[in-house]
Amino acid sequence: MPQKASKQSTVTRVAIFASGAGSNAQKIIDYFRDHPSVRISLIVCNKPGAGVLGIAEREHIPVLLIEKETFFRGNGYVDELQAAGIDFVVLAGFLWKVPPTLTAAFPNRMVNIHPALLPRYGGKGMYGMHVHEAVIAAGEKESGITIHYVDNVYDNGDIVFQATCSIEPGDSPAALAAKIHELEHAHYPKIIEQVIVHLQNQR
Ligand code: GRF
């Protein structure tokens, strides 16, 4: 059940950044659909044709399609996000590194989910199936998810939450990916809510 923010009256407007299928984005949208103080207001995507764009269309959520030049060497789309009244950013399978202009605009107001137990199996090149392949190749007995704040170093910000799953002998990277997705879907929306409601209660 959505938690109620005790000391606030305004709504926090959230932008979800995603590059892929958007299954996490969908779960987050579903979770906050009737939320009293959190609204999913914008989908930001760097990939024309990505599945998440279809979700945005079906859900009638505005889309900001971004390109490299402006993102990395321009304003990082900070002006556009501010114009849309965005207060909080959720990265959900977003594959570009967030530039300092953008992290500076959302201090402690940007979270990411990583499909492994950071600080291991993070950093450059560690995304999607590459992560699960590396975890399996190392013979790990467990993996999991990490939800963390975003700062200027890849996969580095303070960790908010981790959950684990076991790896059985013979599990393929794809099988592990499925377990990880299940964990992500179960936890990410609730943790986002906790972080946002905590911010609202500090006002
Ligand atoms: C998730 O596993 C997320 O942790 C990773 O990319 C995947 C995105 O999946 N960074 P989806 O697009 O939400 O289905």
Side-chain angles (χ1 to χ4, degrees):
M1 277 299 285
Q3 296 170 14
K4 219 175 171 126
S6 54
K7 278 192 257 165
Q8 58 79 48
S9 53
T10 57
V11 165
T12 295
R13 291 171 63 83
V14 175
I16 301 177
F17 282 51
S19 307
S23 69
N24 278 285
Q26 182 71 69
K27 292 288 173 190
I28 296 164
I29 292 163
D30 292 344
Y31 187 83
F32 289 108
R33 200 176 297 283
D34 298 311
H35 197 280
S37 65
V38 179
R39 181 166 313 136
I40 307 305
S41 302
L42 188 66
I43 301 291
V44 179
C45 181
N46 61 312
K47 224 175 171 184
V52 71
L53 296 173
I55 294 174
E57 195 179 350
R58 275 198 304 283
E59 300 283 353
H60 306 290
I61 299 173
V63 167
L64 176 64
L65 202 53
I66 62 174
E67 51 83 30
K68 263 189 177 150
E69 192 56 30
T70 307
F71 194 61
F72 292 111
R73 283 171 287 279
N75 70 349
Y77 289 93
V78 168
D79 300 338
E80 288 81 350
L81 293 169
Q82 283 171 351
I86 299 303
D87 310 292
F88 194 90
V89 171
V90 168
L91 308 183
F94 182 66
L95 295 182
W96 284 354
K97 186 175 186 301
V98 179
T101 37
L102 191 47
T103 50
F106 293 92
N108 291 320
R109 286 174 168 70
M110 189 183 301
V111 291
N112 180 43
I113 192 160
H114 185 77
L117 297 170
L118 291 175
R120 303 191 67 205
Y121 304 104
K124 209 168 163 53
M126 279 293 159
Y127 62 89
M129 287 306 270
H130 300 297
V131 179
H132 308 308
E133 282 159 10
V135 169
I136 298 273
E140 300 286 356
K141 301 273 181 294
E142 75 172 16
S143 188
I145 60 168
T146 303
I147 298 168
H148 63 95
Y149 288 105
V150 178
D151 64 14
N152 287 330
V153 183
Y154 228 43
D155 294 334
N156 176 72
D158 286 351
I159 290 173
V160 182
F161 176 86
Q162 290 187 307
T164 61
C165 62
S166 62
I167 301 173
E168 307 304 329
D171 270 359
S172 63
L176 177 55
K179 290 183 186 176
I180 294 288
H181 256 117
E182 232 174 84
L183 279 181
E184 293 181 332
H185 296 164
H187 294 288
Y188 203 16
K190 288 184 200 163
I191 299 300
I192 292 165
E193 180 184 44
Q194 282 172 20
V195 171
I196 293 177
V197 169
H198 180 72
L199 280 172
Q200 291 171 339
N201 288 338
Q202 282 178 335
R203 280 191 207 136

PDB file of all heavy atoms in Angstrom, residues 164-180:
ATOM      1  N   THR A 164      19.076  -9.983  -2.173  1.00  0.00           N
ATOM      2  CA  THR A 164      19.866 -11.042  -2.816  1.00  0.00           C
ATOM      3  C   THR A 164      18.985 -12.166  -3.345  1.00  0.00           C
ATOM      4  O   THR A 164      17.834 -12.340  -2.923  1.00  0.00           O
ATOM      5  CB  THR A 164      20.858 -11.668  -1.806  1.00  0.00           C
ATOM      6  OG1 THR A 164      20.102 -12.235  -0.730  1.00  0.00           O
ATOM      7  CG2 THR A 164      21.808 -10.620  -1.251  1.00  0.00           C
ATOM      8  N   CYS A 165      19.558 -12.934  -4.271  1.00  0.00           N
ATOM      9  CA  CYS A 165      18.933 -14.177  -4.724  1.00  0.00           C
ATOM     10  C   CYS A 165      20.036 -15.211  -4.868  1.00  0.00           C
ATOM     11  O   CYS A 165      21.198 -14.856  -5.067  1.00  0.00           O
ATOM     12  CB  CYS A 165      18.194 -13.983  -6.045  1.00  0.00           C
ATOM     13  SG  CYS A 165      19.245 -13.487  -7.415  1.00  0.00           S
ATOM     14  N   SER A 166      19.659 -16.482  -4.749  1.00  0.00           N
ATOM     15  CA  SER A 166      20.691 -17.510  -4.859  1.00  0.00           C
ATOM     16  C   SER A 166      20.886 -17.910  -6.312  1.00  0.00           C
ATOM     17  O   SER A 166      19.985 -17.764  -7.146  1.00  0.00           O
ATOM     18  CB  SER A 166      20.320 -18.717  -4.004  1.00  0.00           C
ATOM     19  OG  SER A 166      19.122 -19.249  -4.501  1.00  0.00           O
ATOM     20  N   ILE A 167      22.076 -18.400  -6.599  1.00  0.00           N
ATOM     21  CA  ILE A 167      22.387 -18.915  -7.939  1.00  0.00           C
ATOM     22  C   ILE A 167      22.576 -20.422  -7.793  1.00  0.00           C
ATOM     23  O   ILE A 167      23.421 -20.873  -7.012  1.00  0.00           O
ATOM     24  CB  ILE A 167      23.670 -18.265  -8.501  1.00  0.00           C
ATOM     25  CG1 ILE A 167      23.505 -16.743  -8.567  1.00  0.00           C
ATOM     26  CG2 ILE A 167      24.008 -18.836  -9.873  1.00  0.00           C
ATOM     27  CD1 ILE A 167      24.772 -16.001  -8.951  1.00  0.00           C
ATOM     28  N   GLU A 168      21.763 -21.172  -8.505  1.00  0.00           N
ATOM     29  CA  GLU A 168      21.849 -22.634  -8.419  1.00  0.00           C
ATOM     30  C   GLU A 168      22.841 -23.130  -9.465  1.00  0.00           C
ATOM     31  O   GLU A 168      23.022 -22.493 -10.503  1.00  0.00           O
ATOM     32  CB  GLU A 168      20.475 -23.269  -8.684  1.00  0.00           C
ATOM     33  CG  GLU A 168      19.346 -22.738  -7.817  1.00  0.00           C
ATOM     34  CD  GLU A 168      19.632 -22.857  -6.326  1.00  0.00           C
ATOM     35  OE1 GLU A 168      20.340 -23.809  -5.920  1.00  0.00           O
ATOM     36  OE2 GLU A 168      19.187 -21.977  -5.559  1.00  0.00           O
ATOM     37  N   PRO A 169      23.455 -24.306  -9.196  1.00  0.00           N
ATOM     38  CA  PRO A 169      24.358 -24.871 -10.204  1.00  0.00           C
ATOM     39  C   PRO A 169      23.610 -25.027 -11.526  1.00  0.00           C
ATOM     40  O   PRO A 169      22.468 -25.485 -11.538  1.00  0.00           O
ATOM     41  CB  PRO A 169      24.726 -26.249  -9.628  1.00  0.00           C
ATOM     42  CG  PRO A 169      24.424 -26.157  -8.171  1.00  0.00           C
ATOM     43  CD  PRO A 169      23.329 -25.151  -8.007  1.00  0.00           C
ATOM     44  N   GLY A 170      24.201 -24.628 -12.606  1.00  0.00           N
ATOM     45  CA  GLY A 170      23.553 -24.773 -13.918  1.00  0.00           C
ATOM     46  C   GLY A 170      22.721 -23.567 -14.319  1.00  0.00           C
ATOM     47  O   GLY A 170      22.239 -23.497 -15.454  1.00  0.00           O
ATOM     48  N   ASP A 171      22.529 -22.597 -13.409  1.00  0.00           N
ATOM     49  CA  ASP A 171      21.791 -21.376 -13.793  1.00  0.00           C
ATOM     50  C   ASP A 171      22.545 -20.663 -14.921  1.00  0.00           C
ATOM     51  O   ASP A 171      23.755 -20.434 -14.822  1.00  0.00           O
ATOM     52  CB  ASP A 171      21.668 -20.412 -12.596  1.00  0.00           C
ATOM     53  CG  ASP A 171      20.421 -20.668 -11.768  1.00  0.00           C
ATOM     54  OD1 ASP A 171      19.638 -21.574 -12.131  1.00  0.00           O
ATOM     55  OD2 ASP A 171      20.232 -19.963 -10.751  1.00  0.00           O
ATOM     56  N   SER A 172      21.835 -20.289 -15.954  1.00  0.00           N
ATOM     57  CA  SER A 172      22.435 -19.537 -17.064  1.00  0.00           C
ATOM     58  C   SER A 172      22.360 -18.050 -16.742  1.00  0.00           C
ATOM     59  O   SER A 172      21.586 -17.636 -15.863  1.00  0.00           O
ATOM     60  CB  SER A 172      21.657 -19.818 -18.351  1.00  0.00           C
ATOM     61  OG  SER A 172      20.332 -19.346 -18.179  1.00  0.00           O
ATOM     62  N   PRO A 173      23.114 -17.224 -17.467  1.00  0.00           N
ATOM     63  CA  PRO A 173      22.954 -15.779 -17.285  1.00  0.00           C
ATOM     64  C   PRO A 173      21.505 -15.332 -17.489  1.00  0.00           C
ATOM     65  O   PRO A 173      21.006 -14.471 -16.760  1.00  0.00           O
ATOM     66  CB  PRO A 173      23.886 -15.187 -18.353  1.00  0.00           C
ATOM     67  CG  PRO A 173      24.966 -16.221 -18.511  1.00  0.00           C
ATOM     68  CD  PRO A 173      24.254 -17.539 -18.364  1.00  0.00           C
ATOM     69  N   ALA A 174      20.816 -15.949 -18.445  1.00  0.00           N
ATOM     70  CA  ALA A 174      19.417 -15.558 -18.691  1.00  0.00           C
ATOM     71  C   ALA A 174      18.534 -15.923 -17.497  1.00  0.00           C
ATOM     72  O   ALA A 174      17.627 -15.158 -17.122  1.00  0.00           O
ATOM     73  CB  ALA A 174      18.902 -16.229 -19.963  1.00  0.00           C
ATOM     74  N   ALA A 175      18.805 -17.106 -16.906  1.00  0.00           N
ATOM     75  CA  ALA A 175      18.018 -17.511 -15.726  1.00  0.00           C
ATOM     76  C   ALA A 175      18.272 -16.550 -14.572  1.00  0.00           C
ATOM     77  O   ALA A 175      17.346 -16.164 -13.840  1.00  0.00           O
ATOM     78  CB  ALA A 175      18.379 -18.934 -15.320  1.00  0.00           C
ATOM     79  N   LEU A 176      19.522 -16.151 -14.411  1.00  0.00           N
ATOM     80  CA  LEU A 176      19.844 -15.195 -13.350  1.00  0.00           C
ATOM     81  C   LEU A 176      19.172 -13.847 -13.626  1.00  0.00           C
ATOM     82  O   LEU A 176      18.623 -13.218 -12.709  1.00  0.00           O
ATOM     83  CB  LEU A 176      21.366 -15.033 -13.237  1.00  0.00           C
ATOM     84  CG  LEU A 176      21.857 -14.001 -12.218  1.00  0.00           C
ATOM     85  CD1 LEU A 176      21.300 -14.277 -10.817  1.00  0.00           C
ATOM     86  CD2 LEU A 176      23.387 -13.966 -12.194  1.00  0.00           C
ATOM     87  N   ALA A 177      19.194 -13.421 -14.894  1.00  0.00           N
ATOM     88  CA  ALA A 177      18.554 -12.146 -15.257  1.00  0.00           C
ATOM     89  C   ALA A 177      17.072 -12.161 -14.864  1.00  0.00           C
ATOM     90  O   ALA A 177      16.539 -11.162 -14.372  1.00  0.00           O
ATOM     91  CB  ALA A 177      18.703 -11.886 -16.758  1.00  0.00           C
ATOM     92  N   ALA A 178      16.423 -13.317 -15.065  1.00  0.00           N
ATOM     93  CA  ALA A 178      14.995 -13.408 -14.724  1.00  0.00           C
ATOM     94  C   ALA A 178      14.788 -13.261 -13.217  1.00  0.00           C
ATOM     95  O   ALA A 178      13.859 -12.564 -12.762  1.00  0.00           O
ATOM     96  CB  ALA A 178      14.422 -14.736 -15.219  1.00  0.00           C
ATOM     97  N   LYS A 179      15.667 -13.899 -12.428  1.00  0.00           N
ATOM     98  CA  LYS A 179      15.555 -13.772 -10.956  1.00  0.00           C
ATOM     99  C   LYS A 179      15.777 -12.314 -10.518  1.00  0.00           C
ATOM    100  O   LYS A 179      15.106 -11.808  -9.630  1.00  0.00           O
ATOM    101  CB  LYS A 179      16.614 -14.643 -10.262  1.00  0.00           C
ATOM    102  CG  LYS A 179      16.373 -16.129 -10.366  1.00  0.00           C
ATOM    103  CD  LYS A 179      17.455 -16.881  -9.575  1.00  0.00           C
ATOM    104  CE  LYS A 179      17.328 -18.377  -9.791  1.00  0.00           C
ATOM    105  NZ  LYS A 179      18.413 -19.142  -9.113  1.00  0.00           N
ATOM    106  N   ILE A 180      16.734 -11.690 -11.173  1.00  0.00           N
ATOM    107  CA  ILE A 180      17.060 -10.299 -10.814  1.00  0.00           C
ATOM    108  C   ILE A 180      15.895  -9.372 -11.157  1.00  0.00           C
ATOM    109  O   ILE A 180      15.525  -8.492 -10.370  1.00  0.00           O
ATOM    110  CB  ILE A 180      18.348  -9.854 -11.555  1.00  0.00           C
ATOM    111  CG1 ILE A 180      19.556 -10.650 -11.064  1.00  0.00           C
ATOM    112  CG2 ILE A 180      18.563  -8.346 -11.443  1.00  0.00           C
ATOM    113  CD1 ILE A 180      20.040 -10.323  -9.684  1.00  0.00           C
TER     114      ILE A 180
END
